[in-house]
Amino acid sequence: MIQVLKTDSSNTHFIALVAQLDKELAIRDGEDHSFYAQFNSINTIKHVIVLYDDELPVACGAIKHFDENSIEVKRMFVPINFRQKGFAILVLNEIEKWAKELGYKSLILETGLKQPEAISLYKKYGFSIIPNYGQYSGIENSVCFKKEI
């Protein structure tokens, strides 16, 4: 049975999932990992989704205020043994609903060129590629997306 938990970044299951994500990204990003890691602190994230399947944490994602109209999707992750089961789409659905409830008009996010599965997921979910924003401006390995909600 699938369960959705709205929580914050102090959730121990979220912390454990993010630790797995960071290990995977360290391998994929190689020497670029330390650059990206500085923007991925989870110390003060107020809006976190943890998805459970039969009480087992199988996916996570978070949203963080970006500007008056946009909220940034952060720390999306599904462990490899739970991929291709629709969990990432379920997390994105919950993130989008929550963002609307909070009054935001769009979702934005950054992912890396070395994460083709993520790029494919975001395109499938209706995100469009936009110019790299903020700290990702001019970063060749970054791909930024936006979705109006």
Side-chain angles (χ1 to χ4, degrees):
M1 176 183 195
I2 304 297
Q3 298 172 314
V4 176
L5 175 67
K6 284 181 169 180
T7 186
D8 62 30
S9 60
S10 68
N11 178 279
T12 56
H13 292 139
F14 176 67
I15 293 168
L17 287 166
V18 168
Q20 291 178 55
L21 168 62
D22 286 337
K23 283 181 186 176
E24 184 174 319
L25 291 177
I27 294 166
R28 286 188 187 222
D29 292 337
E31 62 187 42
D32 293 336
H33 184 68
S34 61
F35 169 78
Y36 291 105
Q38 68 181 320
F39 305 118
N40 290 320
S41 169
I42 61 168
N43 293 339
T44 59
I45 299 177
K46 298 176 186 175
H47 303 96
V48 169
I49 298 289
V50 179
L51 194 70
Y52 295 87
D53 186 11
D54 291 328
E55 300 183 20
L56 186 66
V58 297
C60 66
I63 46 178
K64 185 176 172 183
H65 175 83
F66 183 75
D67 64 26
E68 183 179 313
N69 295 312
S70 302
I71 197 159
E72 187 176 23
V73 178
K74 304 291 287 179
R75 315 314 286 163
M76 281 287 301
F77 183 66
V78 178
I80 196 161
N81 52 325
F82 297 110
R83 292 180 187 165
Q84 301 298 315
K85 297 181 181 192
F87 294 142
I89 293 291
L90 291 174
V91 171
L92 284 171
N93 286 339
E94 292 299 323
I95 281 174
E96 184 173 335
K97 284 194 285 188
W98 205 356
K100 285 179 184 177
E101 290 170 12
L102 293 169
Y104 289 95
K105 306 282 187 253
S106 63
L107 299 171
I108 62 167
L109 63 88
E110 179 276 340
T111 194
L113 286 176
K114 297 176 184 174
Q115 298 173 57
E117 307 91 340
I119 292 169
S120 178
L121 169 71
Y122 298 132
K123 286 180 177 179
K124 178 180 174 182
Y125 194 74
F127 280 86
S128 299
I129 294 175
I130 60 171
N132 289 0
Y133 60 84
Q135 64 266 27
Y136 308 111
S137 293
I139 304 301
E140 291 180 16
N141 186 42
S142 289
V143 182
C144 293
F145 288 89
K146 182 174 186 176
K147 181 180 182 192
E148 301 296 331
I149 55 173

